[in-house]
Amino acid sequence: MIRTHLTPRAWRALAATGLAVAVALVVAGCDTQAQDQNQPPPPDVGVAAVLSEQVQDWNDATGRIAAVESVELRPRVSGYVQRVAYAEGDEVKQGDLLFVIDPRPYRAALQRAEAELARARADAQLATTRHARAQQLIDASAISRDDFEARSAGRAEAEAAVRGAQAAVETARLDLAFTEVRAPVAGRAGRAMLTTGNLAQADASMLTTLVSQDPVHVYFETDERTYLRHQAMSREGTRTNVDNAVRVGLADETGYPHAGTVDFLDNQIDPATGTVRARAVLPNPDRRFTPGMFARVQLEGAAARPAILIDDKAVITDQDRKFVYVVGEDNTAQRRDIVPGRIVEGLRVVESGLAAGDRVIVNGVQKVFMPGMPVAPKAVAMRGGAPIEAVAKR
């Protein structure tokens, strides 16, 4: 056994060194424990599984609502307006009385024409009687051939006069009927351009306008590529050029709640714009559409295809790239670059970058600061982002 003899000063130095080491170890342990206690827990995020569904592609366009039948109502006879027989802005039926033009001059003209017809018929009757008598006399050689032919010509002239008088009566009767201006089509009548006491000129003065209400047309332009694709589908027999479905939304509506079909495609493409004019027909039983309205139009594209769908809130923009955060089995957020497509039924189509079964952060994506960050996922529904439990209770 070897004994080491230390001086008192050395013993004091050694004790001080051991105390310093012990204090350092205690401080280090406290710092490590403090760091562990100050580290925040993983953030709560809403995670939803991507949806794999059949989607229908639609081509967007803008259009205008137009009436199927639109009439500028003008008088067929001249005269002073005697009465406006409708309420401005009301819907009228075909044949309803709208305006009355003073009929008295035309009633007098009809009576005069009827009198002329009666006189012509009397003359024709007399000419017929004379012709019959002349026939008997010519058979007995009692009159000359010239007299007989003159009486025959007189009968023919009288019969022609009857036909002329009959035509005059019909014309006068039509003019009298035209003093009552009636609706040629059913629809909504505009304001009266001429009121009682004003002179209406035949075929010149406009009385009012009429526009039909149900159904309506929507005119829109579609690009050349879309037109060619529809032509190809027509040749393949999947549809004709005029049976494509359309969806329409108005300026105050979300989405495209109204459905219709294309019933007309123009016969040429505008070389200045590279578009072709199309027309769709829409039912309008509740009078939601008014001619002249702006409309957002979607034209049915190719046949339905499978696609990956996610909530658009999950998509993050990084300069010219789009990406989402996918939660793996270890509950860490991993960045996944995607190629987004169009919006379908409120969800974003993902053309590439995701696969069926991937779980995407939908709610709380702003809490994720970097890839690989641990998170506390909570299952939510992809549509609406509501918790799964809440969706199940609906």
Side-chain angles (χ1 to χ4, degrees), residues 245-260:
V246 295
R247 302 189 302 186
V248 175
L250 300 180
D252 63 341
E253 295 175 331
T254 301
Y256 302 84
H258 310 285

Side-chain angles (χ1 to χ4, degrees), residues 272-285:
T273 62
T275 59
V276 61
R277 191 166 181 81
R279 184 183 70 194
V281 59
L282 301 171
N284 189 30

Side-chain angles (χ1 to χ4, degrees), residues 49-97:
V50 300
L51 299 179
S52 180
E53 297 180 352
Q54 294 284 327
V55 298
Q56 176 69 59
D57 288 331
W58 297 85
N59 302 301
D60 296 327
T62 57
R64 289 285 177 181
I65 304 296
V68 174
E69 295 179 298
S70 180
V71 179
E72 292 183 350
L73 200 61
R74 301 179 187 274
R76 296 189 180 186
V77 294
S78 299
Y80 289 92
V81 177
Q82 190 177 74
R83 180 164 63 98
V84 178
Y86 76 102
E88 296 174 314
D90 281 357
E91 285 196 34
V92 297
K93 298 178 181 178
Q94 185 177 7
D96 284 354
L97 181 64

